[in-house]
Amino acid sequence: MPTLILVRHGRSTANTAGLLAGWTPGVTLDERGTTQAAALPGRLDGLPLAEVVTSPLERCQETVRPLLDSRPGLPVHTDERIGECHYGDWSGRKLAELKDEPLMEVVQAHPSTAAFPGGESMRAMQTRAAEAVREWNARVERDHGPDAVYLMCSHGDIIKSLVADALGLHLDLFQRISVEPCSVTVIRYTRLRPFLVRLGDTGDFTSLVPRAEPPGSDATVGGGAGAP
């Protein structure tokens, strides 16, 4: 079965503003995110990509544009099922104010039961994304063979949920996974089991440098802004 390269979109204007973007329109890459996207073709140079599948949201479309420009003729598809979680009434709000919402504790500790007001549940988010991957695996294998490599550009919570699915982890453990903006995660699927080959690889260790204010124990809903 194929090898899937999962790319989280580059850093966005919502990331730096501390907002939970969701499907809010007009969220684009910031200056650093644009630089990250421009570097993506070089990072993936030499990989024979068969297809590109992307979330419909602008920040993902912008992230893959330099890659597509560098590979004319590479097939590209949009799939809403790998679009960001529908955060409903939380969309566009500041993460700093959302941390005091009672639901946030559930999102952190028991996400399989969390459903966003006016939006979807985290379980439904994972289900639609995993179904999309399984369908694309079959399609890519059919059209390009079992050793094909293809790329999906998606969002932090989506990618974390797909990693949990591949590892057989309960969704309640997916907040232990971290994927920074424009990081590369690779899952190689086989007949018996998936193999996690890379996780959140950016090639940059800046985020590991101790900070003046250490990060807390809560996971950032939506994925966080990455290294400062």
Side-chain angles (χ1 to χ4, degrees):
M1 294 180 70
T3 295
L4 170 60
I5 297 176
L6 289 160
V7 175
R8 185 183 168 201
H9 62 78
R11 196 174 74 176
S12 72
T13 52
N15 292 146
T16 46
L19 300 176
L20 184 61
W23 287 69
T24 305
V27 176
T28 61
L29 298 183
D30 68 5
E31 184 176 354
R32 179 171 183 156
T34 301
T35 300
Q36 290 171 332
L40 191 60
R43 293 169 63 197
L44 301 178
D45 187 41
L47 288 177
L49 297 177
E51 310 262 358
V52 169
V53 186
T54 179
S55 157
L57 294 173
E58 191 171 355
R59 52 197 183 273
C60 287
Q61 303 276 337
E62 289 180 334
T63 298
V64 298
R65 193 168 298 144
L67 177 65
L68 298 173
D69 289 344
S70 73
R71 301 195 188 199
L74 178 61
V76 58
H77 314 272
T78 298
D79 193 327
E80 290 197 356
R81 294 174 297 176
I82 62 166
E84 182 62 285
C85 184
H86 291 276
Y87 296 116
D89 297 344
W90 279 26
S91 299
R93 292 180 61 187
K94 284 192 171 293
L95 288 163
E97 68 181 39
L98 288 171
K99 68 181 178 63
D100 295 325
E101 293 278 354
L103 177 61
M104 182 60 84
E105 185 177 6
V106 181
V107 170
Q108 292 292 329
H110 200 14
S112 65
T113 67
F116 296 97
E120 69 179 333
S121 68
M122 302 199 88
R123 189 171 56 221
M125 172 201 73
Q126 182 187 44
T127 298
R128 63 171 164 85
E131 287 177 349
V133 166
R134 284 165 174 76
E135 288 182 21
W136 279 105
N137 281 349
R139 176 172 171 173
V140 170
E141 181 173 10
R142 180 196 68 201
D143 294 345
H144 303 281
D147 296 324
V149 179
Y150 75 108
L151 181 147
M152 280 186 169
C153 186
S154 188
H155 307 265
D157 281 349
I158 295 288
I159 294 172
K160 287 163 56 177
S161 74
L162 290 171
V163 169
D165 175 75
L167 292 177
L169 294 177
H170 197 285
L171 185 60
D172 286 346
L173 300 179
F174 101 127
Q175 298 290 28
R176 302 184 182 194
I177 300 166
S178 176
V179 289
E180 291 196 2
C182 223
S183 63
V184 173
T185 294
V186 182
I187 302 172
R188 180 165 59 86
Y189 289 88
T190 74
R191 184 174 64 86
L192 295 181
R193 64 182 61 84
F195 291 89
L196 180 64
V197 181
R198 294 283 190 279
L199 176 61
D201 189 345
T202 64
D204 179 4
F205 296 101
T206 308
S207 63
L208 302 180
V209 175
R211 305 182 190 181
E213 184 176 339
S217 59
D218 283 351
T220 303
V221 181

